[in-house]
Amino acid sequence: MPTAFDVRALSSTVRIELDDSLSADEQQTIAAQWSDLIVDDGDAPLRTISAGVSGMLAEDDAPTVVAPSAEILADLIATEITHQGITELRGQALMLHAAGISLDDGRVVGFVGPSGRGKTTASRALGTAFGYVTDETLAVRPDGTVVPYPKPLSLGQRPGHKRTEGATALGLKPAAEAPLRLAAIALLDRQPDAAEPTLEHVPLTEVLAELVPQTSFLPELENPLRTLAELVVSTGGVRRAVYAEADTLPSLVDQILANPSVEDDPRLTEVATPERDCDCFKHLLPEQYPDAPQPRGDGPAGTFRRATHRDALMVDDQLLVLVPGSVTVLDGIGPIVWLAANDSTEAEITAAAVRQLPTPPEGVDPSAVVSAAIADLVEAGLLVAF
């Protein structure tokens, strides 16, 4: 008999339907993996994910997820549920690719890392000492509150497949009952030859450049770079956790919370540009966004223009420019050149730079410096030449 159950995926409810291609024991095993998130009387599910084993399906069956075995299927189901959860929360929360643990008072520490950096292993080690919040997606609303997602953990290394285990079955502690609020962020940096776990200060602009690729749907947020920067500043900055073995990470939590690393009062200045509030890049998906504005056409010959971007933010004297998936940090003459390029000639950009910069040292040709900077920005895809 098919098994169906509803789970809470961040702020969404998702229904899972396991068909008869799975044995009763296999269905029970998969359902048990989600016991920490099963809801009996929650909101109506926003989506139903049907799942089955290939080679065991009737011809008219069309499940959402198919795999050659129940074990591989369980891993794929976890991926589908997580994708649904972050998709429904896009634009409403900052979603870091991070493990998260909570203290009894509701303070949450996030450990950020790309795929394969050890978030799940870290979660197992940290979750036996602290409350387990998530091993993959740490969702933080604009007010700093955290949406818990104690999903099953996918254990093992690819290639091949992973084994899925529920958090309670692995002996992880539940998250605190107190309201959860992000208190600190650390970057995971596993180094097998590290003698002992240590924390390193990471400058704000470097942190932002590392965090942008480790977020989901960041461009969907209003003022995405400022939102991310203010969250970092409000939690005392980011530390890099250098360690060899995951079981040493719990010893760093008190230090992470006690030692803020952010620079004193960084100056954050939003940059207003012609592209600032556009639905950038949506014109590339006409089926989904038929009414999206089209990018401006070619500019006058011999001019330069800022390339399409989602956001820009000055952090003290450095400029961060956001495109989907990455951020570029400009300093020195870079911010002036980029901001001056609005269908502007090289001579006009040079004049703007000369007005804003101190008198150059003897022997330095401002025109040559600006020309080189323009060439670098064009090569980096931040300026467009006509």
Side-chain angles (χ1 to χ4, degrees):
M1 178 180 296
T3 297
F5 55 94
D6 294 344
V7 301
R8 193 68 174 171
L10 293 168
S11 62
S12 305
T13 300
V14 180
R15 174 160 295 166
I16 310 302
E17 293 183 348
L18 306 174
D19 66 24
D20 284 334
S21 64
L22 294 156
S23 69
D25 286 345
E26 290 169 335
Q27 293 182 37
Q28 183 177 3
T29 296
I30 292 176
Q33 293 165 359
W34 290 91
S35 60
D36 297 313
L37 286 168
I38 287 180
V39 292
D40 296 324
D41 55 356
D43 300 332
L46 293 175
R47 185 187 175 197
T48 296
I49 297 174
S50 57
V53 176
S54 57
M56 301 291 291
L57 301 169
E59 292 184 1
D60 58 350
D61 286 330
T64 308
V65 182
V66 180
S69 71
E71 192 170 51
I72 297 175
L73 184 67
D75 188 26
L76 295 180
I77 288 172
T79 299
E80 284 291 321
I81 292 174
T82 299
H83 177 71
Q84 177 65 26
I86 64 176
T87 298
E88 290 301 323
L89 202 54
R90 64 183 180 182
Q92 304 174 48
L94 180 67
M95 292 178 282
L96 296 168
H97 303 164
I101 54 94
S102 69
L103 280 69
D104 291 342
D105 59 7
R107 285 180 295 166
V108 172
V109 180
F111 291 84
V112 179
S115 179
R117 186 60 64 86
K119 295 190 297 295
T120 297
T121 304
S123 295
R124 291 192 70 180
L126 290 159
T128 58
F130 302 95
Y132 171 60
V133 176
T134 186
D135 76 329
E136 182 174 340
T137 301
L138 185 62
V140 187
R141 295 192 183 277
D143 63 358
T145 57
V146 171
V147 183
Y149 183 41
K151 60 176 286 294
L153 286 73
S154 296
L155 309 175
Q157 298 292 327
R158 298 188 187 276
H161 56 269
K162 297 189 176 184
R163 184 179 86 258
T164 306
E165 296 284 354
T168 297
L170 289 170
L172 305 189
K173 296 174 61 176
E177 295 184 2
L180 300 181
R181 190 174 192 85
L182 187 66
I185 304 171
L187 298 173
L188 288 173
D189 187 3
R190 184 176 181 273
Q191 298 184 11
D193 57 350
E196 58 183 22
T198 58
L199 295 176
E200 299 176 352
H201 164 74
V202 187
L204 180 58
T205 51
E206 182 181 335
V207 162
L208 296 178
E210 290 202 42
L211 289 182
V212 165
Q214 306 310 322
T215 61
S216 296
F217 296 112
L218 178 64
E220 299 284 340
L221 291 172
E222 184 177 0
N223 305 323
L225 284 178
R226 188 179 188 97
T227 298
L228 181 57
E230 288 180 342
L231 180 69
V232 169
V233 172
S234 71
T235 56
V238 172
R239 278 69 62 185
R240 190 184 307 278
V242 180
Y243 67 102
E245 300 298 335
D247 58 9
T248 64
L249 287 172
S251 66
L252 291 178
V253 171
D254 286 344
Q255 297 179 55
I256 292 171
L257 290 167
N259 298 312
S261 70
V262 75
E263 299 90 336
D264 292 335
D265 297 322
R267 187 173 69 255
L268 306 178
T269 307
E270 293 183 47
V271 175
T273 73
E275 303 290 343
R276 178 64 184 81
D277 295 316
C278 74
D279 290 328
C280 300
F281 304 99
K282 289 185 177 180
H283 65 278
L284 300 177
L285 302 169
E287 300 84 3
Q288 298 181 39
Y289 304 101
D291 300 323
Q294 297 299 307
R296 289 183 293 167
D298 292 347
T303 64
F304 299 89
R305 174 189 301 167
R306 292 179 292 275
T308 301
H309 57 282
R310 174 60 184 91
D311 199 9
L313 179 74
M314 292 292 298
V315 179
D316 294 329
D317 295 325
Q318 294 180 297
L319 173 68
L320 286 78
V321 182
L322 175 68
V323 297
S326 67
V327 66
T328 300
V329 181
L330 303 179
D331 54 15
I333 197 173
I336 294 174
V337 170
W338 188 82
L339 289 167
N342 186 23
D343 291 343
S344 309
T345 65
E346 184 170 314
E348 290 170 334
I349 297 173
T350 300
V354 169
R355 286 194 303 270
Q356 297 179 62
L357 291 173
T359 301
E362 185 177 352
V364 174
D365 181 3
S367 297
V369 174
V370 170
S371 181
I374 290 174
D376 289 343
L377 292 177
V378 170
E379 183 178 0
L382 297 179
L383 291 185
V384 178
F386 297 106

